[in-house]
Amino acid sequence: DGGNNRVGIGTGSPASTFDVTSAETANTANFTSTSGATNITLKSSSTLIGQIEFQSGAVSQIVTRTANSSLALGSNNVQTLFITDDDNVGIGTNSPSSDFGFTPLLHLKKDGDIAFVLDNATEKFEFCMNNDASSLRIGAGSKNDILNLTANSNGVIGIGVAPDDEWDTFTA
């Protein structure tokens, strides 16, 4: 489509500057380098803004190349995982933060109950919080709670049992 400065492969009516249409189910396009790494470089005018690079025996990368830029991954047209330009990770949030005055390395945000689970072939560690933030469980092994903290609406905390407003308070 020379009138619109568009190139089409597999289509006579390209919808963008470069449009590839294929009925191929395995590979729509192949990128081969005979010198090691295979790169796709993304530019805005003459400014490098991103790069996709895969190589055998070394670190492969998908990176942004501009300051103050985050990288987002997602599914179903929803961005879910964010890597910020200061190397923090947000899952469900694009700006990892904490109410404790520091920026966390990892910030999980989700509507509803949330759990952070570390699991390998022999051990399991769980950190769980229910939807209304009234219960916090820390467990290990086969779902055995190590610590179960539950708070009521008055801010009274029960350790291992439901809180009772009549409990004595302790100060350290």
Side-chain angles (χ1 to χ4, degrees):
D1 186 357
N4 292 313
N5 293 320
R6 295 179 178 170
V7 174
I9 298 175
T11 179
S13 303
S16 59
T17 303
F18 183 62
D19 191 342
V20 178
T21 302
S22 172
E24 178 68 41
T25 59
N27 294 313
T28 300
N30 288 320
F31 298 89
T32 304
S33 171
T34 59
S35 64
T38 300
N39 293 285
I40 298 173
T41 300
L42 307 170
K43 291 184 176 182
S44 177
S45 296
S46 63
T47 303
L48 178 63
I49 60 171
Q51 186 174 19
I52 302 169
E53 176 184 72
F54 289 92
Q55 50 188 322
S56 178
V59 175
S60 294
Q61 58 183 344
I62 301 173
V63 295
T64 62
R65 297 288 187 194
T66 57
N68 301 317
S69 295
S70 295
L71 178 66
L73 301 175
S75 63
N76 198 22
N77 206 30
V78 176
Q79 296 175 339
T80 304
L81 173 71
F82 298 87
I83 304 171
T84 65
D85 64 339
D86 54 356
D87 297 328
N88 293 311
V89 177
I91 300 175
T93 179
N94 62 358
S95 55
S97 62
S98 168
D99 293 335
F100 297 107
F102 61 89
T103 302
L105 176 62
L106 175 65
H107 178 156
L108 304 172
K109 182 177 180 182
K110 177 181 175 274
D111 291 335
D113 297 345
I114 189 167
F116 181 71
V117 179
L118 300 172
D119 194 356
N120 64 25
T122 58
E123 297 295 328
K124 188 175 189 177
F125 174 81
E126 296 183 52
F127 179 88
C128 309
M129 182 179 65
N130 70 346
N131 189 36
D132 62 3
S134 66
S135 178
L136 170 67
R137 285 189 359 211
I138 300 173
S142 301
K143 298 183 182 177
N144 296 319
D145 287 341
I146 293 174
L147 179 61
N148 187 347
L149 303 175
T150 307
N152 67 15
S153 61
N154 295 324
V156 177
I157 297 175
I159 301 174
V161 295
D164 181 342
D165 285 331
E166 302 302 320
W167 286 3
D168 291 332
T169 57
F170 299 93
T171 57

